[in-house]
């Protein structure tokens, strides 16, 4: 009998729960953005394929064929403090989603209580009467069960908003991880450029040290001019000063790389030799601009935030409508403690409660307007993120083309500068030209070499920026199972 009543009670709750009404609030629709209106990027090279091949972008940094870079990326993904903080943010969003989902289930609480009360009664006006005391004892325990009927979808909208918050948080974590990987690559490239510039500076110092010795010998032998000796020593001091500046930049670059990898600055006191000459850069499967909407984590995060804001409009609208709660209890009640498990002292109750807002001074209506404004704000933010994504891709594409052209010119310039310097040194050795010509040609050659190194470094950096702007399929930092599971639950 006891079990029969419990099952009946449960059946009643679920049967009434199935009578929930319809959801209020707008359905989400993706806004029309410029990425959907064009078929190709303006600066995409004609020789590049427009096909979207995600596999070509998986772990793309390994195409640089640099084990040091691969190791640094692995360290950063495992130890970077910003990534760890983002992971904690995702975990917080998961917990908030669990809270939102819990509100749509039955709530069952157990309670037990006992009380003893005394009441007095004056019966002196009765013959033989006096002041009487009465004692009442009560014990009870049992389960309290409640269920909120989501008549207008307030709880459902809240859950879906929490789902999209979680997805936005996860997309944000992926976007941050992508950025950290790119920063590691950029730091590695910058350090390699500093190392190559330092090699040029070392060679320049060695050359001018040798030149000072030669000019000093000539001057001591009465064959040289004191002005030439001063010019040579001045150039040596300038080269030495530039070398110390490069050494400082190199040390600070290593410190920044250590922090990216979650290590104490100065841990990587040295770094393996510079990157090898840049391998031929293969065409990138840029794809259609519209692909960015689903491929870039920051764009996806902005859209999930817009989805969540849209769901919260439904929450605020449902708040203005009635709520119906089913409340029941199942337990025992007696004035004797030993009877608290006796069947005949069972206590059962079930009831419903409806509550509808009547007057709140316009607060609920204002809440709807605020939610609608927040959704419009999220929509504008989303469009802005898309425009920024398009600009970053176009910037990277045009930069790569123009830097390639600049490298061709600088390569020719270095060749000519070296030939001019060799000629000037030869003419100075024969006494045909002054030392000033040698200094000028040496300075031009050094500037040309530095410019070429910086341009080559910029080409590396531009390719990294292009891969980051495209939001490639960086499987090493994605949590695909989480995204798949939660996205599936949105439609439920």
């Amino acid at each position: 009998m006891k079990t029969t009543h419990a099952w009946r009670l449960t059946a009643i709750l679920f049967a009434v729960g199935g009578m929930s009404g319809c959801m209020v609030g707008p359905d989400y629709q993706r806004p029309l953005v410029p990425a959907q209106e064009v078929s190709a990027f303006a600066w995409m090279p004609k020789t590049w394929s427009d096909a979207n091949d995600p596999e070509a972008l998986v772990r793309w940094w390994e195409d640089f064929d640099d084990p040091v870079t691969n190791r640094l990326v692995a360290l950063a993904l495992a130890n970077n403090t910003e990534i760890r903080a983002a992971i904690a943010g995702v975990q917080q969003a998961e917990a908030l989603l669990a809270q939102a989902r819990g509100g749509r289930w039955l709530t069952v609480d157990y309670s037990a209580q006992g009380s003893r009360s005394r009441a007095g009664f004056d019966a002196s006006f009765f013959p033989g009467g006096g002041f009487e005391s009465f004692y009442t004892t009560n014990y009870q325990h049992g389960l309290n069960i409640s269920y909120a009927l989501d008549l207008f979808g307030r709880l459902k909208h809240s859950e879906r908003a929490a789902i999209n918050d979680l997805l936005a948080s996860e997309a944000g974590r992926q976007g941050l991880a992508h950025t950290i990987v790119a920063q590691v690559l950029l730091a590695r490239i910058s350090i390699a450029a500093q190392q190559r510039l330092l090699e040029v500076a070392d060679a320049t110092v060695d050359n001018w040290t040798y030149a000072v010795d030669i000019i000093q010998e000539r001057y001591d032998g009465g064959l040289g001019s004191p002005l030439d000796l001063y010019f040579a020593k001045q150039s040596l001091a300038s080269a030495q000063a530039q070398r110390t500046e490069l050494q400082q930049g190199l040390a600070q670059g290593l410190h920044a790389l250590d922090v990216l990898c979650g290590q104490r600055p100065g841990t990587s006191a040295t770094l393996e030799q510079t990157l090898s000459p840049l391998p031929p850069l293969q065409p990138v499967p840029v794809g259609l601009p519209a692909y960015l909407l689903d491929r870039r984590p920051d764009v996806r995060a902005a859209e999930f935030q817009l989805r969540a804001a849209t769901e919260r409009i439904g929450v605020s609208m449902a708040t203005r409508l009635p709520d119906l709660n089913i409340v029941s209890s199942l337990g025992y009640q007696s004035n004797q403690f030993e009877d608290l498990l006796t069947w005949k002292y069972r206590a059962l109750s079930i009831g419903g409660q409806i509550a509808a807002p009547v007057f709140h001074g316009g607060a609920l209506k204002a809440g709807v307007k605020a939610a609608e404004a927040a959704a419009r704000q999220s929509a504008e933010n989303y469009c802005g993120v898309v425009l920024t994504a398009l600009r970053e891709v176009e910037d990277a594409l045009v930069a790569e083309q123009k830097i390639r052209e600049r490298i061709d010119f600088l390569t020719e310039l270095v060749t000519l500068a070296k030939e001019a310097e060799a000629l000037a040194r030869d003419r100075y050795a024969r006494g045909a030209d002054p030392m000033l010509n040698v200094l000028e040609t040496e300075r031009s050659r050094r500037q040309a070499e530095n410019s070429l190194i910086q341009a080559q470094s910029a080409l590396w950096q531009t390719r990294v920026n292009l891969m980051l702007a495209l939001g490639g399929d960086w499987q090493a930092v994605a949590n695909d199972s989480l995204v798949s599971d939660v996205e599936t639950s949105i439609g439920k």
Side-chain angles (χ1 to χ4, degrees):
M1 185 67 178
K2 177 180 177 181
T3 305
T4 302
H5 280 289
W7 277 109
R8 286 178 180 174
L9 179 60
T10 305
I12 291 174
L13 288 174
F14 279 98
V16 177
M19 298 167 57
S20 297
C22 61
M23 294 178 62
V24 297
D27 294 327
Y28 172 77
Q29 290 184 342
R30 173 181 279 180
L32 181 64
V33 292
Q36 299 163 298
E37 300 174 347
V38 293
S39 59
F41 291 98
W43 283 93
M44 190 183 72
K46 295 181 180 179
T47 57
W48 284 17
S49 170
D50 195 31
N52 181 29
D53 179 14
E55 293 301 322
L57 299 180
V58 174
R59 304 181 65 87
W60 56 268
W61 59 86
E62 294 182 352
D63 292 340
F64 291 161
D65 194 25
D66 180 39
V68 176
T69 298
N70 298 339
R71 176 176 59 81
L72 292 172
V73 169
L75 277 174
L77 292 177
N79 301 323
N80 184 267
T81 55
E82 293 183 58
I83 293 179
R84 289 184 174 183
I87 291 174
V90 174
Q91 293 170 343
Q92 181 185 21
E94 288 177 331
L96 293 175
L97 172 58
Q99 281 185 334
R101 281 180 169 165
R104 300 184 61 205
W105 286 83
L106 290 170
T107 60
V108 181
D109 299 302
Y110 173 80
S111 64
Q113 66 181 33
S115 65
R116 181 172 176 80
S117 61
R118 175 184 178 277
F121 179 72
D122 187 2
S124 59
F125 55 86
F126 290 110
F131 187 84
E132 300 291 339
S133 297
F134 297 92
Y135 291 88
T136 303
T137 302
N138 182 62
Y139 298 99
Q140 62 181 22
H141 75 110
L143 299 177
N144 300 312
I145 306 172
S146 63
Y147 180 70
L149 296 180
D150 197 16
L151 295 178
F152 300 102
R154 179 177 59 86
L155 299 177
K156 179 64 174 178
H157 279 303
S158 296
E159 179 188 359
R160 295 170 85 172
I163 288 173
N164 283 286
D165 285 338
L166 172 58
L167 292 174
S169 180
E170 171 59 19
R173 182 198 68 83
Q174 292 181 17
L176 175 63
H178 292 189
T179 301
I180 295 299
V181 170
Q183 288 179 356
V184 170
L185 267 292
L186 294 174
R188 170 68 167 146
I189 293 168
S190 177
I191 290 171
Q194 291 285 334
Q195 289 173 326
R196 292 180 62 189
L197 291 172
L198 190 57
E199 290 175 356
V200 173
D202 288 338
T204 301
V205 169
D206 292 342
N207 288 340
W208 279 113
T209 301
Y210 177 75
V212 167
D213 292 340
I214 296 298
I215 295 171
Q216 182 72 54
E217 291 180 2
R218 292 183 52 151
Y219 175 74
D220 293 341
L223 300 177
S225 165
L227 188 59
D228 290 344
L229 182 60
Y230 280 122
F231 277 147
K233 289 183 177 180
Q234 177 183 341
S235 296
L236 175 60
S238 175
Q240 290 172 329
Q242 185 185 33
R243 181 171 63 179
T244 59
E245 183 178 357
L246 291 171
Q247 290 170 339
Q248 174 187 341
L250 179 59
Q252 292 175 340
L254 289 169
H255 294 166
L257 184 59
D258 286 335
V259 172
L260 284 172
C261 294
Q263 302 178 132
R264 179 180 58 83
T267 302
S268 299
T270 59
L271 195 64
E272 286 81 347
Q273 189 59 31
T274 61
L275 287 167
S276 59
L278 186 65
L281 294 178
Q282 300 299 319
V284 176
V286 175
L288 301 177
Y291 291 157
L292 295 179
L293 302 183
D294 298 314
R295 201 161 70 176
R296 273 187 58 139
D298 58 337
V299 176
R300 297 183 68 206
E303 184 174 9
F304 287 132
Q305 290 168 355
L306 174 56
R307 284 177 175 269
T310 303
E311 296 292 344
R312 290 191 173 94
I313 296 177
V315 174
S316 60
M317 293 177 67
T319 303
R320 304 183 65 191
L321 299 172
D323 279 336
L324 176 60
N325 294 314
I326 304 299
V327 180
S328 66
S329 64
L330 172 64
Y332 295 87
Q333 182 174 351
S334 174
N335 61 351
Q336 298 295 326
F337 183 80
E338 58 270 18
D339 294 331
L340 283 181
L341 294 178
T342 303
W343 178 246
K344 67 179 181 178
Y345 290 102
R346 66 190 182 278
L348 302 173
S349 69
I350 185 168
Q353 178 184 4
I354 188 168
V358 177
F359 179 75
H360 288 259
L364 299 182
K365 184 177 180 180
V368 175
K369 291 183 177 180
E372 291 173 343
R376 290 195 299 271
Q377 182 182 34
S378 296
E380 294 299 331
N381 290 338
Y382 171 67
C383 293
V385 171
V386 172
L387 286 173
T388 299
L390 293 173
R391 178 185 62 81
E392 290 175 351
V393 175
E394 296 285 12
D395 285 351
L397 289 173
V398 66
E400 183 162 322
Q401 293 184 46
K402 297 306 176 182
I403 291 174
R404 286 178 181 274
E405 296 175 10
R406 186 158 69 249
I407 287 176
D408 291 339
F409 292 128
L410 289 173
T411 301
E412 181 180 3
L413 178 61
V414 168
T415 301
L416 295 174
K418 287 181 177 180
E419 293 175 353
E421 182 184 12
L423 179 60
R425 288 183 180 276
D426 179 67
R427 291 177 63 82
Y428 171 76
R430 291 186 286 106
D433 282 340
M435 184 64 178
L436 187 60
N437 287 358
V438 177
L439 294 175
E440 185 61 31
T441 56
E442 184 275 336
R443 186 177 297 108
S444 297
R445 186 266 307 165
R446 183 173 60 182
Q447 290 177 348
E449 288 183 337
N450 289 346
S451 296
L452 178 59
I453 291 173
Q454 291 169 351
Q456 291 170 337
S457 174
L459 184 59
W460 283 70
Q461 293 172 345
T462 298
R463 176 51 63 94
V464 173
N465 290 334
L466 177 59
M467 305 303 288
L468 180 61
L470 291 174
D473 184 17
W474 298 19
Q475 293 181 350
V477 296
N479 190 346
D480 296 331
S481 60
L482 170 63
V483 174
S484 176
D485 292 344
V486 179
E487 283 183 329
T488 300
S489 66
I490 290 181
K492 294 182 179 179

